[in-house]
Amino acid sequence: DVLIDGAKSCLLHCDCPWGGELLKIRVDAHVENVPENPSHLLVRPEVRALYGNGSVSKFEDLQMLIHQAPGEAFIEQLHSWGLGSFCSSFLEASDETCSEEFSMRKSSWQRLSRDFPGEGDSSLCVQGDSLGLLLCRPKGGSRYEINGIFHVTEEQFKQWNSIYLRLLFESASRTARWFVNRPGISDLRSIDRSFYTTLTVQSCRRGLPLLPCPPGDVEDEVVTIADGEALGLDRWLRFDAERYGSERFY
């Protein structure tokens, strides 16, 4: 069902198969400094947590509590109260309309996918107090279709009147356009492109590779390399394939 139909954005609603309601906000946005690869419009959560908005650090607003894998992390960030909490689940509550006095800190798992569900798409899945999905799809040139999909309870949805939904719609539309054009985003995308380095091991003539030993772990076969002490990488463990459910190192 179409709840609100604007010139370049709309708010849609449907029943959720697993209970509750699903709201979808679709925004047609112009993106400045479009990335060469359209699937790189969104930035990994761990990069946002470490570097804020490029040259401007935002450790106070966004912190990484657990780094699960490339593009997946447990993030704590500022959320707006009330209406803004649904937008800030996947769009940082850090634009000019959000102040710390009217915000609270919440945590959520965030996972970024690229070229999914379609080529050129980028999507950010958020799981915290509620479920949310941010999907950005290129429409040609500098135009992107930004879809924010989030889950609310049936009771919550019934309490909202048309004015409440209109405020949510306008706030989310404005925040979505700000999010993809915010100050420092070009620098942040550049950092994100080179954030990881892929190493290929072609042979293991001196034994299986060494992996860093987590601080505090007590192991019998720890290899000490003094040159890495300054970086906190002086204790290493030989890779054990059986520990990872495999008999071989691929």
Side-chain angles (χ1 to χ4, degrees), residues 25-225:
I25 297 177
R26 185 168 62 205
V27 178
D28 181 20
H30 164 74
V31 177
E32 301 175 1
N33 301 317
V34 179
E36 183 177 349
N37 186 336
S39 68
H40 285 227
L41 182 70
L42 299 179
V43 178
R44 296 181 180 96
E46 63 268 32
V47 176
R48 298 189 347 254
L50 292 174
Y51 291 93
N53 278 331
S55 58
V56 182
S57 178
K58 286 175 33 189
F59 287 99
E60 306 82 8
D61 296 347
L62 190 66
Q63 295 182 1
M64 179 171 61
L65 304 181
I66 300 175
H67 185 200
Q68 182 71 14
E72 183 175 1
F74 189 55
I75 298 295
E76 182 183 76
Q77 63 189 102
L78 281 178
H79 282 235
S80 302
W81 288 97
L83 289 167
S85 65
F86 295 99
C87 306
S88 57
S89 292
F90 37 76
L91 305 175
E92 282 110 314
S94 54
D95 67 351
E96 67 279 359
T97 64
C98 176
S99 61
E100 191 166 358
E101 298 86 33
F102 301 102
S103 303
M104 59 186 301
R105 302 197 71 85
K106 291 187 178 181
S107 302
S108 61
W109 280 103
Q110 300 188 13
R111 180 175 182 178
L112 178 71
S113 300
R114 286 180 174 145
D115 291 316
F116 181 84
E119 184 177 355
D121 294 348
S122 56
S123 59
L124 180 66
C125 180
V126 177
Q127 182 175 2
D129 291 345
S130 60
L131 294 174
L133 175 67
L134 179 65
L135 172 62
C136 298
R137 176 161 290 168
K139 305 301 289 184
S142 62
R143 310 304 303 181
Y144 275 79
E145 181 185 279
I146 303 175
N147 296 278
I149 305 167
F150 49 90
H151 176 267
V152 298
T153 65
E154 183 178 358
E155 295 77 12
Q156 202 169 30
F157 182 73
K158 288 181 178 179
Q159 293 175 359
W160 293 353
N161 55 33
S162 58
I163 297 177
Y164 202 90
L165 289 172
R166 171 65 66 175
L167 290 173
L168 171 62
F169 172 68
E170 293 177 353
S171 175
S173 300
R174 181 178 62 251
T175 305
R177 293 188 176 96
W178 169 87
F179 185 68
V180 294
N181 292 301
R182 62 193 189 275
I185 186 60
S186 295
D187 294 337
L188 200 58
R189 291 186 184 123
S190 178
I191 295 172
D192 186 60
R193 282 196 300 270
S194 58
F195 193 68
Y196 290 100
T197 299
T198 302
L199 300 179
T200 302
V201 179
Q202 297 181 344
S203 64
C204 303
R205 297 180 181 179
R206 298 185 180 182
L208 291 175
L210 293 172
L211 300 178
C213 180
D217 279 16
V218 179
E219 300 283 351
D220 296 332
E221 300 180 357
V222 173
V223 177
T224 301
I225 303 177

